[in-house]
Amino acid sequence: MSWLPLAPNFRADLRAALETSSPTEVLEKLARLAAYQLGFLETIQLDRAFGQLELVESPGFSLIRLAVLGSATVDHLAPAIRIAGLRRRLLVDVQIGAYGQYRQDILDPSSLLRQFVPQTILLSLSCREVTSSVPLTATREEVDDIIAKFVGELRSLWQGAREIYNATIVQQTFLNVTEALFGSFDRLVPGAPMRVVARLNDQLCEAAIRDGVLLLDIARVSERDGIDAWFDVTRWLQGKLEIAPQAAPLYGDLVARILAAQRGLSKKCLVLDLDNTVWGGVIGDDGLEGIIIGEGSAAGEAHLALQRYAKQLRERGVILAVCSKNDAKTAEAPFHEHPEMLLRRSDIAAFLANWDDKAENLKAIAARLNIGIDSLVFVDDNPVERARIRQSLPAVAVPELPSDVAHYVRCLSDAGYFEAVDFTPEDRQRAELYAANAERAALLGSAQSMDDFLRGLEMSVVCGPFTTVDHSRIVQLFNKTNQFNTTTRRYTSEEVTHIAGLPNVLTFQFRLSDRIGDNGLVSAMILRPATDTEDVLEIDNWVMSCRVFGRGLEFEAMNIAVEAARRLGIKGFVADYIATPKNNVISALYSSLGFTAVNEPEPGKKPMRWFLNLADYVTHQSYIPRSGVGA
Amino acid sequence: MTDQEILTKFTRILRDLLLDDSIVLTTETQREEVPNWDSFNYINFIVAVEIEFGVKFKVADIESFANVGAIVTELKHMTT
């Protein structure tokens, strides 16, 4: 885990943290320690300290219940999962299943899992179950039959787990712990254990795609690290540990990445330094002709490889930004004029080159892109700048780059900052969406008034209940949106399907377009019957992408929701505003929409509650006519 | 490395592992005498020692160490 900085004084810092009196402060200090590169022993120590704290809702942290069910011993993985969670400000309550009892744990109504009610279930299975049932002489068809039967059983288990717990399933790929029998010829023998495991992983992936199950791909990581880093036969013999204890810290990080990604906590933006990062040399000193970039020089190709990787990340929806100590014109010149540059100026959504403090510039980048400061990854070759950012902005991820530019890409890829649990059409278009937003900002600058600007945008909204086509995007919106998020209730993919299917529940999705382009599906709302009153619906949650703030979509969305509810004879809406450190931007949302406050909030206990009598609702003016499917 | 130097390192490892700075190991110490040093933490201890000293114990030795002194002896045997 070389991308994390080394802890200068771990033992003493840990003991000092435990001396702190308030549990909130202890937690904060432990979270800081979790951000360091921790080995096997440090991870266990930190977890032991963490275990002394009560696992309760804490400001700035989220609680998650995770069940880890295995066919071998998995108990030793729990500390690393908790610590990697803490690294991402997730408080993971880990329940370990009984040894080898993963089927019973899920299906047996009297199992501990029923009381635990996991939100995510991780299945950590060994390939031995399958390899032991395949004779070496089996034909290709026979092997496929055995594997299909096993995977088929697994699929019904996934389905059972989803029905019982509404949980997200994460299935670990099979670690290939087999030994060679024939040598290279193993790959050509259908019944050879090595070949069986490869086939098993293929079939598992196919099934996971079909069923929308997530994978924890340790098979791939073990190929990268070598099987000896992941499997230690002594530990297997000693206690049936299939995953080597030394691999536990990385294993935990891989699990926590997925948990974080599900909750929208993966990073969103790659911020690049320029001199000696994007290119070799210093543009201010060396000039356009002097910087090292591109084919013909080994170092130039290494910098180019980083640019290529950044460009690929952009294609999958990561936003690119630049933060450099330079004159703006000098810094931009290579992007416009250097023929070997792969990154062009239009690839960069926020370009900050000046002589100000980089911490201030990173804040400005986050503000300009309307994303949290904790969504940034800052890549800089200069250790001093890195340390300064870590010190002043601990929420920004700052990889400890290797000294050789040749390994920059590997370092970024190993760190897994941009772990994803889906790849939606919005992701594919994100780069264009941000470019279009820059155009809109220019339009706003030239408009006479806000009304003038909104009218000039020629917006239109397409709305209706949740559709299956847009399911992934809706799940993503609820889980990734932090600012315009009225309750910050997160829903798994399974929960969204479940809630949308309930009787008397109203769901809305909103897609906004304007003359510059389609903004995509940008808002979603769930209304369910209020518990105490008939004829009243409660807004369980309402989210809107930060990309479309300030367009008045919230007013038109409420117009639409009120009309639809009136048609069903609904008399009123209640809605909670649950304040978080990130959703202050909508603290006045409900009053601006005409709701009245029902109670004053009691921090930590009762959120601010609002009521709207539909009979009194006055349709808001908006510049967003409806088109397409009506609600 | 002397027995005492090894014991000091062992003590530090076990203190870290169990987060208990009151632990003092001697060559006579048996696992059962140390609170919370269960079989699970025995595996952890062995792993931590292997990492610290850069060695790998034999599977047969791991299950037959009678006391801490036996681990010290085997470790010295492997590192010299």
Side-chain angles (χ1 to χ4, degrees), chain A residues 212-479:
Chain A
V213 157
L214 298 173
L215 292 179
L216 174 69
D217 197 3
I218 62 165
R220 195 253 175 100
V221 185
S222 74
E223 278 175 15
R224 180 234 181 274
D225 297 340
I227 192 67
D228 288 347
W230 278 84
F231 176 69
D232 180 340
V233 70
T234 312
R235 306 284 100 87
W236 170 254
L237 295 166
Q238 206 183 347
K240 295 289 170 285
L241 283 65
E242 187 169 88
I243 293 162
Q246 289 96 313
L250 179 55
Y251 182 92
D253 206 69
L254 296 172
V255 173
R257 284 173 199 179
I258 295 177
L259 297 177
Q262 272 182 276
R263 279 154 189 80
L265 297 173
S266 287
K267 304 297 174 187
K268 295 174 182 160
C269 174
L270 181 71
V271 186
L272 296 161
D273 164 54
L274 296 179
D275 291 334
N276 288 317
T277 302
V278 162
W279 53 70
V282 176
I283 183 73
D285 297 337
D286 305 329
L288 256 189
E289 304 73 28
I291 59 169
I292 302 158
I293 184 67
E295 314 292 338
S297 134
E301 283 181 41
H303 288 287
L304 202 59
L306 178 66
Q307 294 197 14
R308 189 173 297 116
Y309 191 64
K311 218 158 160 111
Q312 285 173 327
L313 286 174
R314 181 179 178 272
E315 276 166 32
R316 53 147 285 200
V318 173
I319 312 163
L320 301 185
V322 159
C323 175
S324 161
K325 280 192 174 153
N326 261 310
D327 287 326
K329 268 206 155 145
T330 319
E332 287 200 23
F335 288 85
H336 293 298
E337 295 165 42
H338 202 296
E340 293 282 346
M341 287 279 290
L342 258 180
L343 284 175
R344 307 315 289 184
R345 179 60 187 85
S346 57
D347 294 327
I348 313 295
F351 197 108
L352 271 88
N354 53 46
W355 299 96
D356 296 344
D357 181 41
K358 285 198 176 181
E360 290 308 312
N361 279 331
L362 287 173
K363 282 193 226 164
I365 287 170
R368 189 179 296 185
L369 299 172
N370 221 341
I371 55 177
I373 192 87
D374 58 356
S375 300
L376 305 183
V377 174
F378 177 56
V379 178
D380 195 318
D381 67 296
N382 184 338
V384 180
E385 295 283 8
R386 294 202 296 258
R388 195 174 299 157
I389 297 302
R390 278 196 203 107
Q391 175 68 34
S392 50
L393 299 173
V396 175
V398 185
E400 197 57 14
L401 287 186
S403 56
D404 185 350
V405 58
H407 306 300
Y408 282 8
V409 171
R410 173 57 76 80
C411 173
L412 270 182
S413 130
D414 281 349
Y417 295 122
F418 304 105
E419 186 81 21
V421 290
D422 48 27
F423 187 32
T424 64
E426 262 72 19
D427 293 325
R428 290 163 222 251
Q429 296 163 14
R430 182 158 299 118
E432 280 71 40
L433 294 171
Y434 273 90
N437 255 7
E439 233 179 286
R440 290 185 189 99
L443 199 65
L444 176 59
S446 65
Q448 302 289 325
S449 68
M450 195 63 193
D451 283 344
D452 195 30
F453 164 68
L454 292 175
R455 207 173 296 119
L457 269 181
E458 297 166 19
M459 293 181 282
S460 71
V461 62
V462 180
C463 63
F466 292 174
T467 62
T468 34
V469 183
D470 293 308
H471 178 78
S472 327
R473 171 59 180 164
I474 290 162
V475 174
Q476 187 186 49
L477 257 183
F478 277 118
N479 290 301

Side-chain angles (χ1 to χ4, degrees), chain A residues 11 14-15 18 40-41 44-45 48-49 52 73 75-76 79 232 234-235 237-239 241 245-246, chain B residues 12-13 15-21 36 40-44 46-48 50-51 56-59 62:
Chain A
R11 282 189 102 231
L14 178 65
R15 281 157 178 80
L18 290 175
F40 166 76
L41 189 52
I44 294 181
Q45 274 183 82
R48 214 167 264 282
Q52 294 177 359
T73 302
D75 305 60
H76 63 299
D232 180 340
T234 312
R235 306 284 100 87
L237 295 166
Q238 206 183 347
L241 283 65
Q246 289 96 313
Chain B
R12 184 185 55 74
I13 288 171
R15 283 179 176 183
D16 284 353
L17 201 55
L18 303 179
L19 209 63
D20 177 356
D21 286 346
N36 299 320
F40 178 64
N41 279 302
Y42 177 58
I43 298 185
N44 284 337
I46 292 292
V47 173
E50 288 184 347
I51 294 171
K56 290 294 279 180
F57 291 108
K58 290 192 191 101
V59 69
I62 294 171

Side-chain angles (χ1 to χ4, degrees), chain A residues 8 40 49 66 187 202 216 231 320 325 340 388 396 493 519 544 547 570 619 626:
Chain A
F40 166 76
L66 167 75
R187 279 205 196 267
D202 281 350
L216 174 69
F231 176 69
L320 301 185
K325 280 192 174 153
E340 293 282 346
R388 195 174 299 157
V396 175
S493 166
N519 295 275
M544 190 179 295
R547 282 201 314 266
I570 300 297
T619 303
R626 296 166 214 176

Side-chain angles (χ1 to χ4, degrees), chain A residues 602-625:
Chain A
E602 293 168 42
K605 284 192 202 141
K606 246 163 93 185
M608 185 87 186
R609 182 155 261 237
W610 296 86
F611 181 73
L612 178 71
N613 187 340
L614 298 199
D616 300 341
Y617 183 80
V618 184
T619 303
H620 288 98
Q621 191 198 0
S622 94
Y623 297 102
I624 315 180

